[in-house]
Amino acid sequence: MEKNTLHTYKLVLLFACSLVLFLNTELSFLASAKTLDNDSKAFYLGERVHDDPELVTASHHEMLESLLESKEDAYNSMIYIYQHGFSGFAALLTSTQANKISALTTLVFKPESCNINTEHPEVIHVIPNRILKLQTTRTWDHLGLSQISTPFSSSSSTSVKGLLHDTNMGSEAIIGVIDSGIWPESKVFNDQGLGPIPKRWRGKCVSGEKFNATIHCNKKLIGAKYYVSGLLAEMGGKFNRTIIQDFKSSRDIIGHGTHTATMAGGSFVSNASYYGLAQGTVRGGAPKARIAAYKACWNGVEPAGGCTTADMWKAFDDAIHDGVDVLSVSIGGGIPEDSEVDKRSYIGAFHAVAKGIPVVAAAGNAGPGAQTIVNVAPWFLTVAATTLDRSFPTKITLGNNQTFFAESLYTGPEISTGLAFLDSSSHDNVDMKGKTVLVFDSTTPITLKGVAGVIFSQKPDDLLQRCHSFACIFADYELGTDILQYIRTTRSPTVRINSATTLTGLPATTKVAAFSCRGPNSVSPAILKPDIAAPGVSILAALSPFDSREHDGFGLDTGTSMSTPVVSGIIALLKSLHPNWSPAAVRSALVTTAWRTSPSGEPIFAEGSNKKLADPFDYGGGLVNPQRASKPGLVYDMGIQDYINYMCSAGYNDSSISGMVGKITKCPNPKPSILDMNLPSITIPNLEKEVTLTRTVTNVGPIKSVYKAVIKSPLGITLTVTPNTLVFSSAAKRVLTFKVKAKTSHKVNTGYFFGSLTWTDGVHDVKIPVSVQTKIMIKV
């Protein structure tokens, strides 16, 4: 190896021209990914050339040996080999060596040719290796997936019904969770009552620091692996405890992986709570499913945990090989979102979906602004976050006996204190010790020691993290203004604060959370994102004892990271019931059957600076409805050819696509329209006059069925469906195609207007959202 530089380079080589999906993970919030300081790089090649993993491995060694001109150097520089889900490797190179390969690999996004030097025709991209950031007791009752039949049933029966009964609670399903690891001693990973591990499972548990595979894995936690070689390569090969404040094993010190695994497939644990709040039975969506934990994210690398590309890729590669049924990865990128042709996009999700494994991803926590949505590629199932029909009301009594109800997680004794107003100009001249402070700006730092409590009139995103040493109360601007008026008109204002209580059911209702990222999709505006929404606010689940929010093994957490495993658990049930459904069919079933109102029938609002009725850019198809999704009637299905058509329409060249899908592919001329991608949604971002698009539906209900179209056109848009009746007459005739013509009457450019298209047979209502924006081309 050369000594003229200490820069290291990661090579992820994947065969033939292709695209790369590059992801960040999130923990409670999303932040832009950070390029590693030592300018590491990754190289991508594509789908495997050989089915035999040993041949794939041999080809990787030969390629690296040809570059380094030494078998020993090639062996020593290799970090990972990707040989299952896709083909490639990660290696340590000097800058000169990396530049040599870079010179041979000039593909960026060229619609006509790959432009790759034939000396190394396998090499595609040179990609920076980056450190990436991480992002219930009531949830399943709220979604109607509980031990009783409906979330509002008055029955006291505890029998298992519906989807849980039909799938034996997902006992044959395997959920893969790529995250920060697992806390195996948690009660939610007990295997009581579980049968043998499914025979198709090919994974394993790996021992490590404070993690004994023989002891800590069981018939519930059937897989546990950790990936740190990519991170260590950036740190001189040493596990530096001053930076990586974590166990060198699958054990989860952050708590994020344990929390998400709980929501996806945790076992039943009764009488769980957070200091008495949110009390009830905790479990996952598929409570008898098996869990495989893939730890690729580490504590201390970033403030909220970090993961490197090389480690994440290996986790995906192993998960595909091991036989998981669904992958739950609470991931997210920076804004603006990387495009699918950008070198920083992520490959694992595409290869998993191509092999029939749904990949569930987070919408991101940078809302409520428009176009903040991340994970926008059409192979992701992207999840937004909603509130539950649960609140934690907290009684506040002012010194003049005015009583208000705010919200908090305060569980201490009643407190009576003085009351003061804190703003940017009052830090130095107001005595705060022992008082409760009113704050209007949620970003105001509360650093004064001795504060008894804080009343926020604008809820801070990190409320739980900021409120361990004093009571934190959330009151909106209106209530805050009333309290401020009392402070300003009273010589010695006081306040009495009671501990919070738990209120479930009505009158609380579902809302899209303010932090949940919104569409439209900035990369491919014709692809609706998010796909679906699920509860992600104050979700009670298991945590690591090292997590400061943990109490008696459990804690509340918030984010699209929490809503993601909710959907993953539901998909585990759906895949148990319908093992042959493709990831696209699963997505369609969820989207077309979702609630557009809350389960109680009330409208769903979207929280933010201006509260409004939620639309498809807030929640996709709506709030996930597990029971209805199991019997959707019709599905909008897709396979590899549909993704090929998408890549052709997006401008990928033939060589890229061929390498990605593992077969020679040539895009047609003219290229397919992106509007024709067979998604369970219609999004037209630039309608000038009129356009006609195509969709295909597959009957998964009764063999002989007749569906009629019900159209709700967006304002100023005329939708025409041809034919408007679909007749499924036999088992051989389960797939039918229809066309939708959209025509605008607007004479000016507009924002988006929303409508829907529903196919109904009187039993099934198969509804997809329609979003249309008029754009008049300016001729100059």
Side-chain angles (χ1 to χ4, degrees):
M1 300 285 285
E2 297 167 315
K3 298 181 180 180
N4 62 337
T5 177
L6 295 178
H7 290 311
T8 58
Y9 286 79
K10 296 293 180 303
L11 286 175
V12 181
L13 299 169
L14 303 141
F15 294 89
C17 291
S18 181
L19 74 162
V20 183
L21 294 172
F22 202 107
L23 69 108
N24 298 336
T25 53
E26 51 161 346
L27 175 59
S28 299
F29 59 88
L30 276 162
S32 299
K34 174 184 176 183
T35 303
L36 293 172
D37 294 336
N38 56 5
D39 196 27
S40 301
K41 294 187 181 299
F43 293 66
Y44 174 64
L45 285 84
E47 182 59 82
R48 296 182 306 166
V49 175
H50 307 289
D51 289 332
D52 186 344
E54 293 185 4
L55 292 177
V56 176
T57 300
S59 67
H60 295 165
H61 279 289
E62 289 174 3
M63 181 179 295
L64 196 55
E65 182 183 340
S66 70
L67 174 69
L68 302 180
E69 300 178 352
S70 164
K71 285 187 177 181
E72 182 179 0
D73 287 347
Y75 179 82
N76 291 335
S77 67
M78 190 75 76
I79 298 172
Y80 284 126
I81 291 176
Y82 311 117
Q83 63 204 56
H84 303 299
F86 46 91
S87 175
F89 61 86
L92 208 67
L93 298 180
T94 66
S95 57
T96 301
Q97 293 163 339
N99 288 336
K100 181 178 179 180
I101 292 187
S102 298
L104 300 175
T105 311
T106 56
L107 170 68
V108 179
F109 174 46
K110 299 184 180 297
E112 300 303 327
S113 67
C114 264
N115 194 22
I116 292 181
N117 189 302
T118 55
E119 182 179 346
H120 279 290
E122 303 94 338
V123 180
I124 301 171
H125 292 309
V126 180
I127 305 169
N129 182 52
R130 298 148 36 121
I131 288 182
L132 317 170
K133 291 186 178 181
L134 281 170
Q135 301 276 356
T136 99
T137 50
R138 183 61 185 171
T139 300
W140 307 112
D141 289 340
H142 181 58
L143 297 180
L145 193 66
S146 56
Q147 289 178 283
I148 55 178
S149 57
T150 70
F152 301 99
S153 172
S154 60
S155 170
S156 60
S157 170
T158 58
S159 62
V160 177
K161 299 180 180 180
L163 184 56
L164 285 176
H165 174 271
D166 296 342
T167 61
N168 191 24
M169 302 189 193
S171 62
E172 292 300 305
I174 301 170
I175 303 172
V177 182
I178 301 179
D179 212 294
S180 62
I182 207 84
W183 193 264
E185 290 87 356
S186 175
K187 297 175 184 178
V188 298
F189 304 125
N190 78 81
D191 63 355
Q192 185 176 0
L194 293 181
I197 295 171
K199 293 181 179 179
R200 57 193 168 81
W201 173 245
R202 297 189 297 272
K204 60 183 179 181
C205 282
V206 177
S207 294
E209 183 182 7
K210 303 294 183 180
F211 192 98
N212 186 320
T214 302
I215 296 173
H216 292 131
C217 288
N218 55 22
K219 290 184 288 185
K220 163 63 75 171
L221 182 60
I222 64 173
K225 298 179 182 178
Y226 64 98
Y227 307 89
V228 73
S229 298
L231 180 59
L232 295 184
E234 300 306 321
M235 308 180 78
K238 296 182 180 179
F239 196 89
N240 189 334
R241 296 283 182 181
T242 62
I243 299 176
I244 311 174
Q245 301 163 22
D246 209 330
F247 296 103
K248 194 177 180 181
S249 70
S250 296
R251 185 172 290 279
D252 178 22
I253 200 170
I254 296 175
H256 190 264
T258 301
H259 198 282
T260 55
T262 301
M263 293 313 300
S267 299
F268 289 90
V269 179
S270 59
N271 295 319
S273 72
Y274 178 72
Y275 292 98
L277 295 177
Q279 187 169 15
T281 298
V282 163
R283 68 168 177 88
K288 287 189 177 181
R290 318 311 168 106
I291 293 172
Y294 300 88
K295 179 178 178 179
C297 304
W298 299 84
N299 185 50
V301 180
E302 290 284 341
C307 347
T308 67
T309 312
D311 294 332
M312 293 292 294
W313 284 17
K314 188 58 179 174
F316 259 97
D317 188 46
D318 280 356
I320 293 169
H321 164 267
D322 293 346
V324 301
D325 294 301
V326 57
L327 269 170
S328 187
V329 196
S330 292
I331 63 176
I335 301 170
E337 171 78 325
D338 297 331
S339 72
E340 296 93 21
V341 296
D342 191 289
K343 298 177 187 178
R344 293 169 296 189
S345 296
Y346 200 78
I347 65 162
F350 176 85
H351 288 284
V353 169
K355 291 171 176 60
I357 303 170
V359 178
V360 189
N365 297 343
Q371 295 185 311
T372 51
I373 189 77
V374 296
N375 294 318
V376 298
W379 34 85
F380 282 122
L381 200 162
T382 310
V383 186
T386 68
T387 63
L388 287 165
D389 60 340
R390 179 177 66 193
S391 60
F392 303 106
T394 305
K395 185 179 178 181
I396 299 175
T397 305
L398 303 181
N400 60 3
N401 289 325
Q402 280 186 287
T403 298
F404 305 97
F405 281 92
E407 192 165 359
S408 78
L409 297 178
Y410 176 63
T411 57
E414 178 184 295
I415 58 175
S416 296
T417 73
L419 184 60
F421 172 53
L422 177 66
D423 63 16
S424 57
S425 64
S426 61
H427 280 200
D428 299 328
N429 53 29
V430 177
D431 181 14
M432 302 296 172
K433 188 173 181 180
K435 293 184 179 181
T436 296
V437 179
L438 173 67
V439 176
F440 273 79
D441 184 356
S442 64
T443 63
T444 299
I446 309 299
T447 57
L448 300 177
K449 293 183 179 180
V451 170
V454 178
I455 300 175
F456 289 100
S457 61
Q458 183 181 2
K459 191 173 184 180
D461 291 336
D462 59 346
L463 182 62
L464 284 172
Q465 284 75 14
R466 298 173 70 172
C467 298
H468 288 297
S469 59
F470 45 77
C472 281
I473 314 298
F474 168 54
D476 60 20
Y477 271 134
E478 182 178 352
L479 177 53
T481 301
D482 290 340
I483 297 174
L484 179 60
Q485 179 67 15
Y486 164 71
I487 293 173
R488 287 175 168 170
T489 58
T490 305
R491 183 181 298 275
S492 299
T494 61
V495 66
R496 186 169 69 251
I497 300 174
N498 294 84
S499 61
T501 58
T502 303
L503 177 66
T504 59
L506 305 177
T509 189
T510 306
K511 298 181 289 292
V512 177
F515 62 78
S516 188
C517 284
R518 311 297 213 265
N521 181 341
S522 63
V523 177
S524 296
I527 307 296
L528 177 65
K529 290 291 176 176
D531 294 292
I532 199 74
V537 176
S538 297
I539 304 299
L540 185 73
L543 285 174
S544 160
F546 287 87
D547 193 310
S548 59
R549 298 160 297 180
E550 180 267 350
H551 172 70
D552 198 23
F554 296 90
L556 295 164
D557 208 348
T558 291
T560 53
S561 282
M562 283 62 253
S563 56
T564 296
V566 169
V567 174
S568 301
I570 294 169
I571 290 176
L573 298 178
L574 294 178
K575 289 286 285 184
S576 297
L577 192 63
H578 305 289
N580 296 324
W581 277 11
S582 69
V586 170
R587 174 189 12 218
S588 176
L590 293 171
V591 171
T592 62
T593 60
W595 278 298
R596 275 78 179 180
T597 64
S598 71
S600 62
E602 296 296 320
I604 296 178
F605 279 81
E607 292 184 328
S609 55
N610 294 309
K611 293 183 179 180
K612 65 178 184 65
L613 285 173
D615 60 48
F617 293 147
D618 300 314
Y619 61 14
L623 176 66
V624 64
N625 186 335
Q627 297 289 1
R628 285 189 57 200
S630 66
K631 297 178 181 179
L634 305 176
V635 295
Y636 293 77
D637 204 359
M638 291 193 295
I640 290 296
Q641 187 58 49
D642 295 275
Y643 295 117
I644 290 173
N645 290 343
Y646 168 75
M647 287 187 275
C648 288
S649 67
Y652 288 78
N653 57 72
D654 296 342
S655 298
S656 276
I657 300 170
S658 298
M660 194 65 168
V661 301
K663 65 179 181 180
I664 297 175
T665 303
K666 185 173 179 61
C667 289
N669 189 12
K671 293 178 180 178
S673 169
I674 199 169
L675 295 177
D676 289 332
M677 191 169 192
N678 204 43
L679 293 165
S681 60
I682 294 173
T683 305
I684 306 174
N686 51 3
L687 181 61
E688 184 173 9
K689 293 181 180 178
E690 65 178 57
V691 68
T692 299
L693 53 89
T694 302
R695 288 291 186 273
T696 298
V697 288
T698 301
N699 182 17
V700 294
I703 292 175
K704 293 185 177 182
S705 300
V706 178
Y707 283 84
K708 294 184 179 298
V710 178
I711 302 168
K712 182 180 179 182
S713 294
L715 181 66
I717 306 296
T718 300
L719 295 181
T720 305
V721 178
T722 307
N724 61 7
T725 300
L726 300 177
V727 180
F728 298 92
S729 57
S730 66
K733 195 176 182 181
R734 284 187 173 270
V735 180
L736 293 176
T737 297
F738 62 92
K739 294 185 180 297
V740 179
K741 183 169 73 174
K743 184 176 182 180
T744 181
S745 62
H746 295 288
K747 304 300 181 184
V748 298
N749 293 335
T750 71
Y752 280 93
F753 292 103
F754 304 101
S756 63
L757 167 61
T758 305
W759 290 103
T760 181
D761 65 350
V763 176
H764 306 93
D765 291 329
V766 187
K767 179 179 288 188
I768 64 172
V770 177
S771 311
V772 183
Q773 178 176 244
T774 299
K775 276 195 176 181
I776 310 299
M777 298 299 294
I778 300 175
K779 296 178 176 60
V780 293

